Amino acid sequence: MVDTTWRPASADPELACPIAPVVDIVFSRWTTPILWALHEYGRQRFVELERRIGAITPKVLTQRLRRLERDGMVTRTYHAEVPPRVEYEITALGRSLAPLFAGLAEWGAAHLDEVRGARDAYDADPARPRP
Amino acid sequence: MVDTTWRPASADPELACPIAPVVDIVFSRWTTPILWALHEYGRQRFVELERRIGAITPKVLTQRLRRLERDGMVTRTYHAEVPPRVEYEITALGRSLAPLFAGLAEWGAAHLDEVRGARDAYDADPARPRP
DNA sequence: CGGTATCCTTTACGATACTG
DNA sequence: CAGTATCGTAAAGGATACCG
């Protein structure tokens, strides 16, 4: 008789990888720089963040901040003045990522050159598949 | 006289955030599970990876593996047999991420519940902006 | 100042079929 | 087995303009 109750780990997708959910929350093109800026420079207004991060547009900055707020990584404080003032601050939950961010920065400093070298070597070989 | 040589850090975009380049290389929906699988279970064939990761399609798996190979994180070894056999293995460069991955897994175990709680609280408030 | 509103492009990802 | 080809979807992001 065949056991039909068994399922491969693959049946529930990438949850076999325990860090996939963390990646989904913290690591995207703009969320990481936003969290970094809030951690490095403390509580900031919308326009300060915008200027510090640079190329981001207000639309995208708002979207990312809203999601970070929803996930408990950031708080938003509205001051009803004229002109209006809104301040964003990283939460304790957000700050708990700091050692990991530091580790990633260190990894980058130590290994990014090697990645670039691998890339150049790969691209230099005409036999390699190209997108 | 005005110094026109000065530029705000924002002039070169998110490079103000030292981990942005690392994020670009390592953290996307599928690259992280792929690296995790290769690190946890060692050298594997294409179909083994495919089955272990689960929901990924062969097209996407190929795309991600190619990029990881180009970035020096993974090696691809082709054996001309019938049927053909291809083995993927994580490199020393890829393995150097292991402590960081472990740290992220630990962070998830410790804080994912808090994130879910924050989400629920946010969603429960009808006054919150919705997408 | 702190956003929204529109419109557009790019990119990842997904479904399905097919091949050396 | 290890992919490739071709289609389509959806989300992220970008450009620009406008508003309370």
Side-chain angles (χ1 to χ4, degrees):
Chain A
M1 181 183 174
V2 177
D3 179 5
T4 56
T5 61
W6 182 86
R7 292 281 180 286
S10 52
D12 41 310
E14 73 275 25
L15 298 182
C17 171
I19 81 177
V22 180
V23 170
D24 191 48
I25 294 164
V26 175
F27 297 106
S28 80
R29 172 154 191 203
W30 292 115
T31 60
T32 318
I34 289 168
L35 285 175
W36 179 273
L38 287 173
H39 176 259
E40 285 294 296
Y41 304 99
R43 186 185 327 134
Q44 284 165 80
R45 307 177 60 160
F46 186 89
V47 71
E48 291 180 278
L49 267 175
E50 194 178 356
R51 283 198 265 259
R52 203 183 304 278
I53 293 174
I56 197 168
T57 62
K59 189 198 75 171
V60 173
L61 181 54
T62 303
Q63 286 174 348
R64 299 297 106 210
L65 282 171
R66 288 282 195 278
R67 181 190 268 240
L68 285 170
E69 192 192 356
R70 186 171 99 106
D71 288 345
M73 313 292 293
V74 157
T75 60
R76 175 182 184 272
T77 313
Y78 178 83
H79 305 271
E81 310 167 351
V82 276
R85 185 163 55 94
V86 175
E87 291 186 310
Y88 291 93
E89 188 171 12
I90 194 166
T91 62
L93 181 58
R95 264 191 302 275
S96 69
L97 286 166
L100 292 145
F101 275 37
L104 288 166
E106 205 178 328
W107 188 92
H111 300 288
L112 239 35
D113 279 346
E114 195 176 344
V115 172
R116 291 191 202 100
R119 243 177 231 184
D120 291 347
Y122 185 99
D123 292 345
D125 184 347
R128 300 303 192 136
R130 274 160 224 296
Chain B
M1 182 183 173
V2 177
D3 179 6
T4 55
T5 61
W6 182 86
R7 291 281 180 287
S10 52
D12 40 308
E14 72 276 25
L15 298 184
C17 171
I19 80 176
V22 180
V23 170
D24 190 48
I25 293 164
V26 175
F27 298 106
S28 80
R29 172 154 191 203
W30 293 114
T31 60
T32 318
I34 289 168
L35 285 175
W36 179 273
L38 287 173
H39 175 259
E40 286 293 297
Y41 303 100
R43 184 184 328 134
Q44 285 164 80
R45 307 177 59 160
F46 186 89
V47 71
E48 291 180 279
L49 267 176
E50 194 178 357
R51 283 199 264 260
R52 204 185 303 279
I53 294 174
I56 196 169
T57 62
K59 189 196 75 171
V60 173
L61 181 55
T62 303
Q63 287 174 348
R64 298 299 105 210
L65 283 170
R66 288 282 196 277
R67 180 188 268 240
L68 286 171
E69 191 192 357
R70 186 171 99 107
D71 288 346
M73 314 292 293
V74 157
T75 60
R76 175 182 184 272
T77 313
Y78 178 83
H79 305 271
E81 310 167 352
V82 275
R85 186 163 54 95
V86 176
E87 291 185 310
Y88 291 93
E89 189 171 11
I90 194 166
T91 63
L93 181 57
R95 263 191 303 276
S96 69
L97 286 166
L100 295 158
F101 275 38
L104 289 166
E106 204 178 328
W107 188 92
H111 299 289
L112 239 35
D113 279 345
E114 195 177 343
V115 173
R116 292 191 202 100
R119 243 176 231 184
D120 292 346
Y122 186 99
D123 293 345
D125 184 347
R128 300 306 191 131
R130 278 160 222 295

PDB file of all heavy atoms in Angstrom, chain B residues 80-110:
ATOM      1  N   ALA B  80      29.133  15.097 -20.138  1.00  0.00           N
ATOM      2  CA  ALA B  80      28.541  14.681 -21.405  1.00  0.00           C
ATOM      3  C   ALA B  80      28.228  13.200 -21.387  1.00  0.00           C
ATOM      4  O   ALA B  80      28.983  12.380 -21.908  1.00  0.00           O
ATOM      5  CB  ALA B  80      29.471  15.039 -22.563  1.00  0.00           C
ATOM      6  N   GLU B  81      27.145  12.846 -20.764  1.00  0.00           N
ATOM      7  CA  GLU B  81      26.706  11.459 -20.720  1.00  0.00           C
ATOM      8  C   GLU B  81      25.314  11.390 -21.339  1.00  0.00           C
ATOM      9  O   GLU B  81      24.763  12.397 -21.752  1.00  0.00           O
ATOM     10  CB  GLU B  81      26.637  10.982 -19.265  1.00  0.00           C
ATOM     11  CG  GLU B  81      27.907  11.282 -18.474  1.00  0.00           C
ATOM     12  CD  GLU B  81      27.710  11.089 -16.975  1.00  0.00           C
ATOM     13  OE1 GLU B  81      26.555  10.880 -16.548  1.00  0.00           O
ATOM     14  OE2 GLU B  81      28.701  11.142 -16.252  1.00  0.00           O
ATOM     15  N   VAL B  82      24.771  10.178 -21.381  1.00  0.00           N
ATOM     16  CA  VAL B  82      23.367  10.068 -21.740  1.00  0.00           C
ATOM     17  C   VAL B  82      22.632   9.293 -20.657  1.00  0.00           C
ATOM     18  O   VAL B  82      22.968   8.147 -20.409  1.00  0.00           O
ATOM     19  CB  VAL B  82      23.144   9.371 -23.115  1.00  0.00           C
ATOM     20  CG1 VAL B  82      23.252  10.358 -24.230  1.00  0.00           C
ATOM     21  CG2 VAL B  82      24.123   8.221 -23.296  1.00  0.00           C
ATOM     22  N   PRO B  83      21.681   9.924 -20.001  1.00  0.00           N
ATOM     23  CA  PRO B  83      21.257  11.319 -20.187  1.00  0.00           C
ATOM     24  C   PRO B  83      22.290  12.270 -19.623  1.00  0.00           C
ATOM     25  O   PRO B  83      23.089  11.881 -18.780  1.00  0.00           O
ATOM     26  CB  PRO B  83      19.953  11.387 -19.377  1.00  0.00           C
ATOM     27  CG  PRO B  83      20.094  10.327 -18.329  1.00  0.00           C
ATOM     28  CD  PRO B  83      20.920   9.247 -18.932  1.00  0.00           C
ATOM     29  N   PRO B  84      22.293  13.492 -20.090  1.00  0.00           N
ATOM     30  CA  PRO B  84      23.267  14.478 -19.622  1.00  0.00           C
ATOM     31  C   PRO B  84      23.136  14.724 -18.122  1.00  0.00           C
ATOM     32  O   PRO B  84      22.076  14.535 -17.542  1.00  0.00           O
ATOM     33  CB  PRO B  84      22.910  15.731 -20.407  1.00  0.00           C
ATOM     34  CG  PRO B  84      21.521  15.513 -20.899  1.00  0.00           C
ATOM     35  CD  PRO B  84      21.361  14.058 -21.067  1.00  0.00           C
ATOM     36  N   ARG B  85      24.275  15.098 -17.540  1.00  0.00           N
ATOM     37  CA  ARG B  85      24.269  15.349 -16.108  1.00  0.00           C
ATOM     38  C   ARG B  85      24.971  16.669 -15.849  1.00  0.00           C
ATOM     39  O   ARG B  85      26.079  16.887 -16.357  1.00  0.00           O
ATOM     40  CB  ARG B  85      24.989  14.204 -15.385  1.00  0.00           C
ATOM     41  CG  ARG B  85      24.940  14.263 -13.879  1.00  0.00           C
ATOM     42  CD  ARG B  85      25.292  12.905 -13.272  1.00  0.00           C
ATOM     43  NE  ARG B  85      26.585  12.425 -13.789  1.00  0.00           N
ATOM     44  CZ  ARG B  85      27.752  12.602 -13.166  1.00  0.00           C
ATOM     45  NH1 ARG B  85      27.797  13.220 -12.004  1.00  0.00           N
ATOM     46  NH2 ARG B  85      28.866  12.148 -13.696  1.00  0.00           N
ATOM     47  N   VAL B  86      24.332  17.534 -15.102  1.00  0.00           N
ATOM     48  CA  VAL B  86      24.919  18.831 -14.766  1.00  0.00           C
ATOM     49  C   VAL B  86      24.865  18.985 -13.261  1.00  0.00           C
ATOM     50  O   VAL B  86      23.833  18.726 -12.640  1.00  0.00           O
ATOM     51  CB  VAL B  86      24.155  19.987 -15.444  1.00  0.00           C
ATOM     52  CG1 VAL B  86      24.723  21.326 -15.007  1.00  0.00           C
ATOM     53  CG2 VAL B  86      24.230  19.854 -16.957  1.00  0.00           C
ATOM     54  N   GLU B  87      25.983  19.390 -12.700  1.00  0.00           N
ATOM     55  CA  GLU B  87      25.999  19.558 -11.252  1.00  0.00           C
ATOM     56  C   GLU B  87      26.343  20.993 -10.874  1.00  0.00           C
ATOM     57  O   GLU B  87      27.244  21.601 -11.452  1.00  0.00           O
ATOM     58  CB  GLU B  87      26.997  18.588 -10.627  1.00  0.00           C
ATOM     59  CG  GLU B  87      26.526  17.149 -10.744  1.00  0.00           C
ATOM     60  CD  GLU B  87      27.457  16.208 -10.004  1.00  0.00           C
ATOM     61  OE1 GLU B  87      28.681  16.273 -10.203  1.00  0.00           O
ATOM     62  OE2 GLU B  87      26.942  15.405  -9.215  1.00  0.00           O
ATOM     63  N   TYR B  88      25.610  21.477  -9.916  1.00  0.00           N
ATOM     64  CA  TYR B  88      25.854  22.822  -9.393  1.00  0.00           C
ATOM     65  C   TYR B  88      26.415  22.722  -7.987  1.00  0.00           C
ATOM     66  O   TYR B  88      25.992  21.888  -7.192  1.00  0.00           O
ATOM     67  CB  TYR B  88      24.557  23.629  -9.390  1.00  0.00           C
ATOM     68  CG  TYR B  88      24.080  23.958 -10.780  1.00  0.00           C
ATOM     69  CD1 TYR B  88      23.184  23.136 -11.446  1.00  0.00           C
ATOM     70  CD2 TYR B  88      24.549  25.085 -11.435  1.00  0.00           C
ATOM     71  CE1 TYR B  88      22.760  23.431 -12.738  1.00  0.00           C
ATOM     72  CE2 TYR B  88      24.131  25.395 -12.723  1.00  0.00           C
ATOM     73  CZ  TYR B  88      23.234  24.560 -13.359  1.00  0.00           C
ATOM     74  OH  TYR B  88      22.824  24.861 -14.636  1.00  0.00           O
ATOM     75  N   GLU B  89      27.364  23.603  -7.723  1.00  0.00           N
ATOM     76  CA  GLU B  89      27.973  23.581  -6.400  1.00  0.00           C
ATOM     77  C   GLU B  89      28.259  25.014  -5.959  1.00  0.00           C
ATOM     78  O   GLU B  89      28.611  25.868  -6.770  1.00  0.00           O
ATOM     79  CB  GLU B  89      29.287  22.772  -6.449  1.00  0.00           C
ATOM     80  CG  GLU B  89      29.883  22.521  -5.082  1.00  0.00           C
ATOM     81  CD  GLU B  89      31.065  21.540  -5.139  1.00  0.00           C
ATOM     82  OE1 GLU B  89      31.534  21.239  -6.260  1.00  0.00           O
ATOM     83  OE2 GLU B  89      31.518  21.100  -4.066  1.00  0.00           O
ATOM     84  N   ILE B  90      28.113  25.256  -4.689  1.00  0.00           N
ATOM     85  CA  ILE B  90      28.401  26.585  -4.172  1.00  0.00           C
ATOM     86  C   ILE B  90      29.914  26.769  -4.067  1.00  0.00           C
ATOM     87  O   ILE B  90      30.639  25.826  -3.764  1.00  0.00           O
ATOM     88  CB  ILE B  90      27.702  26.799  -2.809  1.00  0.00           C
ATOM     89  CG1 ILE B  90      27.695  28.275  -2.423  1.00  0.00           C
ATOM     90  CG2 ILE B  90      28.345  25.928  -1.735  1.00  0.00           C
ATOM     91  CD1 ILE B  90      26.741  28.578  -1.285  1.00  0.00           C
ATOM     92  N   THR B  91      30.380  27.972  -4.349  1.00  0.00           N
ATOM     93  CA  THR B  91      31.814  28.243  -4.289  1.00  0.00           C
ATOM     94  C   THR B  91      32.228  28.696  -2.889  1.00  0.00           C
ATOM     95  O   THR B  91      31.380  28.888  -2.018  1.00  0.00           O
ATOM     96  CB  THR B  91      32.188  29.366  -5.274  1.00  0.00           C
ATOM     97  OG1 THR B  91      31.501  30.559  -4.865  1.00  0.00           O
ATOM     98  CG2 THR B  91      31.804  29.006  -6.697  1.00  0.00           C
ATOM     99  N   ALA B  92      33.513  28.880  -2.715  1.00  0.00           N
ATOM    100  CA  ALA B  92      33.994  29.416  -1.437  1.00  0.00           C
ATOM    101  C   ALA B  92      33.407  30.806  -1.202  1.00  0.00           C
ATOM    102  O   ALA B  92      33.024  31.159  -0.083  1.00  0.00           O
ATOM    103  CB  ALA B  92      35.525  29.480  -1.435  1.00  0.00           C
ATOM    104  N   LEU B  93      33.317  31.575  -2.274  1.00  0.00           N
ATOM    105  CA  LEU B  93      32.712  32.903  -2.163  1.00  0.00           C
ATOM    106  C   LEU B  93      31.264  32.807  -1.689  1.00  0.00           C
ATOM    107  O   LEU B  93      30.832  33.551  -0.796  1.00  0.00           O
ATOM    108  CB  LEU B  93      32.782  33.595  -3.526  1.00  0.00           C
ATOM    109  CG  LEU B  93      32.223  35.006  -3.638  1.00  0.00           C
ATOM    110  CD1 LEU B  93      32.883  35.952  -2.669  1.00  0.00           C
ATOM    111  CD2 LEU B  93      32.356  35.526  -5.066  1.00  0.00           C
ATOM    112  N   GLY B  94      30.527  31.882  -2.247  1.00  0.00           N
ATOM    113  CA  GLY B  94      29.152  31.674  -1.814  1.00  0.00           C
ATOM    114  C   GLY B  94      29.075  31.215  -0.359  1.00  0.00           C
ATOM    115  O   GLY B  94      28.234  31.678   0.407  1.00  0.00           O
ATOM    116  N   ARG B  95      29.963  30.312  -0.023  1.00  0.00           N
ATOM    117  CA  ARG B  95      29.956  29.797   1.354  1.00  0.00           C
ATOM    118  C   ARG B  95      30.307  30.876   2.371  1.00  0.00           C
ATOM    119  O   ARG B  95      29.937  30.778   3.545  1.00  0.00           O
ATOM    120  CB  ARG B  95      30.933  28.632   1.490  1.00  0.00           C
ATOM    121  CG  ARG B  95      30.284  27.265   1.379  1.00  0.00           C
ATOM    122  CD  ARG B  95      31.253  26.165   1.790  1.00  0.00           C
ATOM    123  NE  ARG B  95      32.487  26.200   1.001  1.00  0.00           N
ATOM    124  CZ  ARG B  95      32.632  25.635  -0.190  1.00  0.00           C
ATOM    125  NH1 ARG B  95      31.636  24.972  -0.726  1.00  0.00           N
ATOM    126  NH2 ARG B  95      33.773  25.717  -0.850  1.00  0.00           N
ATOM    127  N   SER B  96      31.012  31.888   1.929  1.00  0.00           N
ATOM    128  CA  SER B  96      31.392  32.952   2.864  1.00  0.00           C
ATOM    129  C   SER B  96      30.164  33.715   3.375  1.00  0.00           C
ATOM    130  O   SER B  96      30.253  34.468   4.345  1.00  0.00           O
ATOM    131  CB  SER B  96      32.372  33.922   2.191  1.00  0.00           C
ATOM    132  OG  SER B  96      31.747  34.671   1.175  1.00  0.00           O
ATOM    133  N   LEU B  97      29.032  33.502   2.736  1.00  0.00           N
ATOM    134  CA  LEU B  97      27.800  34.139   3.200  1.00  0.00           C
ATOM    135  C   LEU B  97      27.133  33.364   4.331  1.00  0.00           C
ATOM    136  O   LEU B  97      26.207  33.867   4.975  1.00  0.00           O
ATOM    137  CB  LEU B  97      26.798  34.258   2.046  1.00  0.00           C
ATOM    138  CG  LEU B  97      27.076  35.310   0.987  1.00  0.00           C
ATOM    139  CD1 LEU B  97      26.209  35.056  -0.228  1.00  0.00           C
ATOM    140  CD2 LEU B  97      26.817  36.701   1.546  1.00  0.00           C
ATOM    141  N   ALA B  98      27.602  32.143   4.558  1.00  0.00           N
ATOM    142  CA  ALA B  98      26.908  31.247   5.490  1.00  0.00           C
ATOM    143  C   ALA B  98      26.611  31.863   6.863  1.00  0.00           C
ATOM    144  O   ALA B  98      25.478  31.768   7.346  1.00  0.00           O
ATOM    145  CB  ALA B  98      27.688  29.947   5.634  1.00  0.00           C
ATOM    146  N   PRO B  99      27.585  32.513   7.500  1.00  0.00           N
ATOM    147  CA  PRO B  99      27.287  33.079   8.823  1.00  0.00           C
ATOM    148  C   PRO B  99      26.189  34.141   8.754  1.00  0.00           C
ATOM    149  O   PRO B  99      25.353  34.233   9.663  1.00  0.00           O
ATOM    150  CB  PRO B  99      28.612  33.727   9.244  1.00  0.00           C
ATOM    151  CG  PRO B  99      29.649  33.234   8.321  1.00  0.00           C
ATOM    152  CD  PRO B  99      28.992  32.699   7.110  1.00  0.00           C
ATOM    153  N   LEU B 100      26.173  34.898   7.669  1.00  0.00           N
ATOM    154  CA  LEU B 100      25.136  35.918   7.525  1.00  0.00           C
ATOM    155  C   LEU B 100      23.770  35.280   7.313  1.00  0.00           C
ATOM    156  O   LEU B 100      22.769  35.739   7.867  1.00  0.00           O
ATOM    157  CB  LEU B 100      25.486  36.829   6.353  1.00  0.00           C
ATOM    158  CG  LEU B 100      26.756  37.642   6.596  1.00  0.00           C
ATOM    159  CD1 LEU B 100      27.375  38.099   5.297  1.00  0.00           C
ATOM    160  CD2 LEU B 100      26.444  38.833   7.484  1.00  0.00           C
ATOM    161  N   PHE B 101      23.744  34.230   6.516  1.00  0.00           N
ATOM    162  CA  PHE B 101      22.487  33.519   6.316  1.00  0.00           C
ATOM    163  C   PHE B 101      21.987  32.946   7.640  1.00  0.00           C
ATOM    164  O   PHE B 101      20.800  33.023   7.956  1.00  0.00           O
ATOM    165  CB  PHE B 101      22.666  32.407   5.282  1.00  0.00           C
ATOM    166  CG  PHE B 101      22.516  32.874   3.863  1.00  0.00           C
ATOM    167  CD1 PHE B 101      23.003  34.106   3.464  1.00  0.00           C
ATOM    168  CD2 PHE B 101      21.870  32.088   2.926  1.00  0.00           C
ATOM    169  CE1 PHE B 101      22.864  34.548   2.156  1.00  0.00           C
ATOM    170  CE2 PHE B 101      21.718  32.516   1.606  1.00  0.00           C
ATOM    171  CZ  PHE B 101      22.214  33.738   1.224  1.00  0.00           C
ATOM    172  N   ALA B 102      22.902  32.394   8.384  1.00  0.00           N
ATOM    173  CA  ALA B 102      22.512  31.845   9.689  1.00  0.00           C
ATOM    174  C   ALA B 102      21.947  32.944  10.583  1.00  0.00           C
ATOM    175  O   ALA B 102      20.941  32.748  11.272  1.00  0.00           O
ATOM    176  CB  ALA B 102      23.716  31.174  10.351  1.00  0.00           C
ATOM    177  N   GLY B 103      22.582  34.087  10.551  1.00  0.00           N
ATOM    178  CA  GLY B 103      22.102  35.208  11.340  1.00  0.00           C
ATOM    179  C   GLY B 103      20.712  35.657  10.923  1.00  0.00           C
ATOM    180  O   GLY B 103      19.862  35.954  11.765  1.00  0.00           O
ATOM    181  N   LEU B 104      20.465  35.658   9.623  1.00  0.00           N
ATOM    182  CA  LEU B 104      19.146  36.050   9.136  1.00  0.00           C
ATOM    183  C   LEU B 104      18.086  35.029   9.514  1.00  0.00           C
ATOM    184  O   LEU B 104      16.956  35.399   9.860  1.00  0.00           O
ATOM    185  CB  LEU B 104      19.191  36.226   7.612  1.00  0.00           C
ATOM    186  CG  LEU B 104      19.958  37.459   7.147  1.00  0.00           C
ATOM    187  CD1 LEU B 104      20.249  37.405   5.662  1.00  0.00           C
ATOM    188  CD2 LEU B 104      19.175  38.724   7.495  1.00  0.00           C
ATOM    189  N   ALA B 105      18.448  33.757   9.455  1.00  0.00           N
ATOM    190  CA  ALA B 105      17.503  32.711   9.854  1.00  0.00           C
ATOM    191  C   ALA B 105      17.145  32.875  11.327  1.00  0.00           C
ATOM    192  O   ALA B 105      15.976  32.766  11.726  1.00  0.00           O
ATOM    193  CB  ALA B 105      18.103  31.333   9.592  1.00  0.00           C
ATOM    194  N   GLU B 106      18.157  33.184  12.102  1.00  0.00           N
ATOM    195  CA  GLU B 106      17.940  33.377  13.535  1.00  0.00           C
ATOM    196  C   GLU B 106      17.048  34.607  13.777  1.00  0.00           C
ATOM    197  O   GLU B 106      16.140  34.569  14.611  1.00  0.00           O
ATOM    198  CB  GLU B 106      19.298  33.575  14.207  1.00  0.00           C
ATOM    199  CG  GLU B 106      19.341  33.224  15.670  1.00  0.00           C
ATOM    200  CD  GLU B 106      20.756  33.405  16.217  1.00  0.00           C
ATOM    201  OE1 GLU B 106      21.735  33.190  15.456  1.00  0.00           O
ATOM    202  OE2 GLU B 106      20.868  33.798  17.381  1.00  0.00           O
ATOM    203  N   TRP B 107      17.324  35.654  13.051  1.00  0.00           N
ATOM    204  CA  TRP B 107      16.492  36.856  13.193  1.00  0.00           C
ATOM    205  C   TRP B 107      15.033  36.534  12.872  1.00  0.00           C
ATOM    206  O   TRP B 107      14.118  36.969  13.578  1.00  0.00           O
ATOM    207  CB  TRP B 107      17.001  37.975  12.279  1.00  0.00           C
ATOM    208  CG  TRP B 107      16.296  39.285  12.529  1.00  0.00           C
ATOM    209  CD1 TRP B 107      16.679  40.276  13.376  1.00  0.00           C
ATOM    210  CD2 TRP B 107      15.064  39.729  11.933  1.00  0.00           C
ATOM    211  NE1 TRP B 107      15.775  41.313  13.343  1.00  0.00           N
ATOM    212  CE2 TRP B 107      14.770  40.998  12.469  1.00  0.00           C
ATOM    213  CE3 TRP B 107      14.186  39.174  10.995  1.00  0.00           C
ATOM    214  CZ2 TRP B 107      13.643  41.729  12.102  1.00  0.00           C
ATOM    215  CZ3 TRP B 107      13.043  39.898  10.641  1.00  0.00           C
ATOM    216  CH2 TRP B 107      12.789  41.160  11.185  1.00  0.00           C
ATOM    217  N   GLY B 108      14.833  35.774  11.809  1.00  0.00           N
ATOM    218  CA  GLY B 108      13.478  35.399  11.444  1.00  0.00           C
ATOM    219  C   GLY B 108      12.790  34.618  12.548  1.00  0.00           C
ATOM    220  O   GLY B 108      11.642  34.906  12.907  1.00  0.00           O
ATOM    221  N   ALA B 109      13.500  33.653  13.085  1.00  0.00           N
ATOM    222  CA  ALA B 109      12.918  32.837  14.154  1.00  0.00           C
ATOM    223  C   ALA B 109      12.560  33.702  15.362  1.00  0.00           C
ATOM    224  O   ALA B 109      11.551  33.485  16.019  1.00  0.00           O
ATOM    225  CB  ALA B 109      13.902  31.739  14.555  1.00  0.00           C
ATOM    226  N   ALA B 110      13.374  34.699  15.616  1.00  0.00           N
ATOM    227  CA  ALA B 110      13.164  35.525  16.807  1.00  0.00           C
ATOM    228  C   ALA B 110      12.128  36.624  16.602  1.00  0.00           C
ATOM    229  O   ALA B 110      11.463  37.039  17.558  1.00  0.00           O
ATOM    230  CB  ALA B 110      14.496  36.128  17.247  1.00  0.00           C
TER     231      ALA B 110
END
